[in-house]
Amino acid sequence: MTRMTRTGPVPQVPPEPLGRRERKKAATRKALADTALRLFLEKGFDQVKVAEIAEAADTALTTLFAHFPGGKEALVLEDGGEREAALTAAVRERPEGLGILDALRDFLAGRGTFDPDPTPEFRLKTDLVVATPALRAYARAMWTGCEEVLAQVIAEEAGRDPADLSLRILARYVLEIPDLAGLEADPRQALDTAFAHLRRGWPEL
């Protein structure tokens, strides 16, 4: 199978099967994350200690921090590396004819409060983040921490200087949208409004 992008067809290569060690690590991470979410929903994020999560998951505290060095917040929200990779792919692998801003809008439209058809677990997690100041702050930091990478890939795709201040400003604006628009009564409408303003400032993208 292939997928068409602006640079031509991209072969869809099946992922390599995980080895035994990788499967065990993935299972441990999932068990910890699932246990943490259950406890956070039952007791409230601020009322749950990291040690309590490790004990409930029958895992050593050192193991928990080995998998989630960011602590409690990281148990709910994926790391910045995942976001950077996803943002980069959204721009570089966008379909032929799709602008950079449209690609970023489509990417955000499937995440967090913008997702129109979330699974029940995803909805619970999203509601928890929105209702918890510490998680909201962590999520915002994860997004804005991708500013340099996003500005770089936009510059590459647009044939512009990576040091161009206007592209760094654009990257910052895009990455603030989940925190700003995500709290509106109609997040998807707010998302479209935000990108409508960005297209006026950067019509060439």
Side-chain angles (χ1 to χ4, degrees):
M1 255 185 101
T2 59
R3 178 171 53 84
M4 293 298 297
T5 71
R6 59 183 185 78
T7 56
V10 176
Q12 298 298 291
V13 180
E16 290 289 330
L18 295 176
R20 182 174 179 276
R21 184 180 180 188
E22 287 72 24
R23 291 198 305 272
K24 185 176 180 181
K25 287 172 64 175
T28 300
R29 282 182 61 86
K30 186 176 187 310
L32 286 165
D34 288 349
T35 300
L37 181 60
R38 175 176 60 79
L39 291 174
F40 294 153
L41 292 172
E42 288 176 359
K43 302 181 178 184
F45 181 82
D46 295 327
Q47 280 64 54
V48 179
K49 305 288 187 185
V50 177
E52 183 180 354
I53 297 169
E55 181 179 358
D58 195 22
T59 304
L61 190 58
T62 53
T63 300
L64 184 151
F65 280 113
H67 286 282
F68 297 96
K72 289 203 307 181
E73 291 83 0
L75 282 155
V76 178
L77 298 157
E78 76 280 348
D79 61 41
E82 185 276 340
R83 290 173 195 253
E84 288 186 356
L87 278 163
T88 298
V91 175
R92 285 187 178 149
E93 300 175 14
R94 66 191 188 279
E96 185 175 2
L98 189 69
I100 292 173
L101 285 176
D102 288 336
L104 288 169
R105 183 266 169 202
D106 291 348
F107 167 74
L108 290 178
R111 299 181 70 108
T113 56
F114 305 122
D115 188 343
D117 189 27
T119 64
E121 181 183 1
F122 188 78
R123 184 183 295 278
L124 286 172
K125 186 182 293 188
T126 300
D127 290 346
L128 176 67
V129 172
V130 169
T132 308
L135 287 172
R136 274 193 58 209
Y138 187 88
R140 180 175 179 269
M142 289 293 97
W143 282 116
T144 57
C146 300
E147 179 184 324
E148 183 177 348
V149 168
L150 181 57
Q152 176 73 33
V153 73
I154 290 174
E156 290 173 1
E157 293 297 304
R160 303 263 288 271
D161 182 352
D164 186 337
L165 177 61
S166 71
L167 296 186
R168 286 164 35 215
I169 292 171
L170 172 60
R172 172 62 67 89
Y173 284 167
V174 169
L175 296 170
E176 291 284 4
I177 289 173
D179 185 58
L180 293 172
L183 295 180
E184 293 295 311
D186 187 340
R188 286 181 71 84
Q189 182 178 348
L191 176 69
D192 289 337
T193 298
F195 273 94
H197 284 290
L198 294 181
R199 291 186 190 97
R200 293 191 190 105
W202 289 268
E204 73 280 12
L205 300 177

